[in-house]
Amino acid sequence: MIGLISATAAGAAARDRLAAAWPDRTRVYGGPVADAVRAAFAECDRLVCFLATGAVVRLVAPLLHGKADDPGVVCVDEAGRFAVSLLGGHGGGANALAREVGEVLGAEPVVTTATDAVGLPGLDTLGLPVEGDVAAVSRALLDGEAVALRAEVTWPLPPLPVADEGAYTVRVTDRLVEPADGEAVLRPPTLVVGVGASKGAPVEEVLGLVEEVLREAGLSAASVAALATVDSKAGEPGLVEAARRLGVPLVTHPAEELARVEVPNPSDAPLAAVGTPSVAEAAALVGGGELLVPKRKSAGSGGSPAMATCAVVRRPGRGRLAVVGLGPGARDLLTPRARDELRRASVLVGLDQYVDQIRDLLRPGTRVLESGLGAEEERARTAVEEARRGQAVALIGSGDAGVYAMASPALAEASDDIDVIGVPGVTAALAAGALLGAPLGHDHVSVSLSDLHTPWEVIERRVRAAAEADLVVTFYNPRSRGRDWQLPKALALLAEHRTPATPVGVVRNASRVDESVRLTTLAALDPATVDMMTVVTVGNTATREIAGRMVTPRGYRWQEETR
């Protein structure tokens, strides 16, 4: 919950705007300001104070406990000009909150955390448990000193400016190790602990077994991703509470699924009890991985038989492929999600001219693999191969990556051994439509006139179908120097079903500095004025020019009324 505190009418106005925008995330604290701050500090994980920074410093100073415990605090001046991350920038989430507040209120976020200031990901912001000499290693990264990356397990990290050797080390491991001097240890969630339990197994027995097995195997409990068991044990109190105390989910699987998993130690007892010859080993091995600890039984208590079993599997870190649409070109049409994915990726793959558009957004240490026109399949293969090596990869395309862009060749190469994230973007058709007016107000279709990958016979059949169905048509890749007859042919096909006065919008370089927009007609359009940077939108029989704008009504009633 985010606590909101203000002292004046101007502050309250901005506070109320934020409360209205986030009704389920915020709580307004009234009354004397000092009392409000104390209450919010104790009850909320973040605070936004519409007060002077000096006043907030004096109010929260007596309340501070430590970096790991204090909430994030953001200060907003009463004019709403700045959102200052004052306390708990990383651990408390104040840096991210300052940016969110800035978006809602139109304020400039002010973040002074050193790593954020220079574009480095903080080691404590990676979503992984981290311990050791975090401050010293972070300073070394900031100062450009040699910091070695020692990855004992694969995990898709964001870009870090690391070297093969160095006086400082970032160690990525699930092993139970003590960090050395000058070493920060990141613990990715690579371990799955399969557990079985008799009815009524006490949590102390289950948890004691899990902790003992991990300790004896030299594995860190901080790297446990989940406890896994059979469906019939989903509500077993000892398992539920053990997962809660470990801070991980309890994942369950059907008995028939577990019965299909090959295990080294099957048993008749669980087969008779729950319908599978293995619970602990099979539940841990669902999804694959390396069995580090075969099934172990608990010792029982007071001479009673063992009531719990467990096994431990290490699953390899899955690579991450984000297929990112950059939009039509304007920076303000690049979505916040796309921006975040570009900064998260340690490897960027893309067409050289698209890479140039967003190079300044990349974090230091990002490896860039760029190539020229005509290498789409090669870029897709490269991106998938890098993800399979466990990297965090961003594959970029213009507009929306799923529309005549890189998503389809990439997903044709990818299998289920990597995670794929689609990041939508503003398409060329949408950008052009917004400039023209509302040409896509009713049913519409996009057709690429490039016959590089699609035979012209297929393209012509699709254009004919769109013409006969009276659909608004947006033509992508309409004309190039070596391919100049397809657009005239397509327009002629449409002319068989539409009047010469049908509105046509011609937009070149939508949203870019040399953008041009023309509204003409089907009869007047000169194909020679069109190139590959142009989107051509042809209206249907209901499309009209109104006040210089191209409009297709949502329904056809007005067409019937004006006949």
Side-chain angles (χ1 to χ4, degrees):
M1 184 63 65
I2 302 170
L4 305 181
I5 300 137
S6 62
T8 68
R15 176 202 67 193
D16 292 345
R17 286 175 57 199
L18 204 59
W22 299 338
D24 299 326
R25 300 174 60 192
T26 55
R27 181 186 303 159
V28 173
Y29 286 79
V33 171
D35 294 343
V37 169
R38 278 193 295 271
F41 203 90
E43 298 170 357
C44 298
D45 53 8
R46 288 174 291 174
L47 280 69
V48 180
C49 299
F50 295 86
L51 306 164
T53 54
V56 177
V57 167
R58 287 189 292 272
L59 289 168
V60 303
L63 309 175
L64 300 180
H65 294 290
K67 185 175 181 179
D69 303 315
D70 295 330
V73 178
V74 171
C75 275
V76 179
D77 65 292
E78 294 189 349
R81 297 170 301 167
F82 302 103
V84 182
S85 173
L86 186 68
L87 177 71
H90 285 165
N95 291 354
L97 180 59
R99 296 185 180 98
E100 288 187 89
V101 170
E103 289 180 6
V104 174
L105 301 180
E108 180 70 25
V110 179
V111 175
T112 58
T113 310
T115 49
D116 291 78
V118 299
L120 285 175
L123 296 177
D124 54 352
T125 67
L126 304 182
L128 303 177
V130 59
E131 57 191 73
D133 208 349
V134 178
V137 174
S138 297
R139 282 196 301 271
L141 288 168
L142 287 166
D143 292 342
E145 298 186 44
V147 177
L149 177 64
R150 184 178 170 190
E152 298 172 10
V153 292
T154 301
W155 198 257
L157 296 173
L160 293 168
V162 292
D164 293 333
E165 300 291 338
Y168 298 89
T169 305
V170 175
R171 185 175 182 182
V172 185
T173 184
D174 55 17
R175 292 287 177 186
L176 189 61
V177 296
E178 285 295 325
D181 290 341
E183 182 177 70
V185 176
L186 295 171
R187 300 197 181 280
T190 55
L191 305 177
V192 177
V193 179
V195 287
S198 301
K199 184 176 181 180
V203 61
E204 291 77 12
E205 185 169 343
V206 175
L207 193 58
L209 173 63
V210 171
E211 291 175 340
E212 178 185 2
V213 164
L214 291 171
R215 184 171 58 253
E216 291 181 357
L219 299 169
S220 172
S223 283
V224 175
L227 297 189
T229 191
V230 65
D231 274 354
S232 60
K233 297 294 180 179
E236 186 64 42
L239 297 184
V240 174
E241 178 62 15
R244 189 193 70 78
R245 294 189 190 180
L246 287 168
V248 299
L250 178 64
V251 178
T252 66
H253 304 281
E256 54 269 24
E257 180 182 7
L258 297 185
R260 293 193 293 268
V261 179
E262 292 188 12
V263 297
N265 300 294
S267 172
D268 291 336
L271 180 61
V274 295
T276 171
S278 172
V279 174
E281 288 179 341
L285 284 166
V286 170
E290 176 189 3
L291 184 63
L292 300 180
V293 182
K295 180 178 71 175
R296 281 270 304 274
K297 291 184 179 181
S298 59
S301 60
S304 61
M307 299 186 73
T309 60
C310 84
V312 184
V313 163
R314 175 186 288 140
R315 292 182 182 172
R318 291 167 62 88
R320 189 176 193 278
L321 174 61
V323 188
V324 181
L326 300 181
R331 180 59 60 86
D332 60 353
L333 291 181
L334 177 69
T335 67
R337 187 180 300 180
R339 194 182 294 255
D340 289 344
E341 289 293 347
L342 294 176
R343 295 177 64 77
R344 178 172 181 166
S346 59
V347 179
L348 182 86
V349 181
L351 179 67
D352 47 13
Q353 64 190 55
Y354 298 152
V355 171
D356 288 341
Q357 288 180 23
I358 48 82
R359 198 183 297 271
D360 62 301
L361 298 178
L362 304 179
R363 291 191 188 274
T366 304
R367 185 156 53 96
V368 177
L369 304 176
E370 54 188 311
S371 52
L373 287 168
E376 288 82 3
E377 287 80 6
E378 177 187 343
R379 284 195 291 276
R381 283 192 295 270
T382 297
V384 171
E385 288 168 2
E386 291 290 336
R388 284 182 175 143
R389 296 188 183 107
Q391 301 293 324
V393 183
L395 175 63
I396 60 173
S398 66
D400 182 280
V403 179
Y404 301 121
M406 294 305 301
S408 53
L411 269 61
E413 291 284 339
S415 53
D416 62 359
D417 57 346
I418 62 174
D419 294 326
V420 178
I421 296 90
V423 183
V426 178
T427 68
L430 294 178
L435 292 168
L436 291 167
L440 309 182
H442 209 287
D443 297 337
H444 56 274
V445 65
S446 296
V447 178
S448 171
L449 294 184
S450 172
D451 55 3
L452 180 62
H453 299 289
T454 305
W456 174 253
E457 293 76 14
V458 174
I459 297 172
E460 182 173 334
R461 188 165 66 247
R462 292 172 178 170
V463 175
R464 285 187 184 279
E468 293 170 359
D470 197 25
L471 297 173
V472 175
V473 182
T474 297
F475 288 123
Y476 279 73
N477 306 312
R479 182 179 179 274
S480 67
R481 282 175 294 184
R483 188 174 44 78
D484 59 3
W485 58 268
Q486 287 89 341
L487 178 59
K489 177 62 175 176
L491 295 174
L493 294 173
L494 292 176
E496 294 176 8
H497 299 269
R498 300 181 195 182
T499 69
T502 300
V504 176
V506 181
V507 180
R508 187 177 189 279
N509 283 333
S511 86
R512 302 186 186 185
V513 291
D514 54 348
E515 164 189 290
S516 66
V517 182
R518 288 187 292 128
L519 186 56
T520 182
T521 65
L522 189 57
L525 174 62
D526 180 3
T529 63
V530 172
D531 62 13
M532 288 287 285
M533 306 303 294
T534 305
V535 171
V536 177
T537 300
V538 182
N540 65 12
T541 55
T543 305
R544 298 288 186 270
E545 178 184 344
I546 303 174
R549 303 180 185 93
M550 186 175 178
V551 180
T552 303
R554 289 186 63 186
Y556 294 127
R557 290 191 182 91
W558 80 333
Q559 185 183 18
E560 296 297 329
E561 292 168 358
T562 56
R563 281 181 177 172

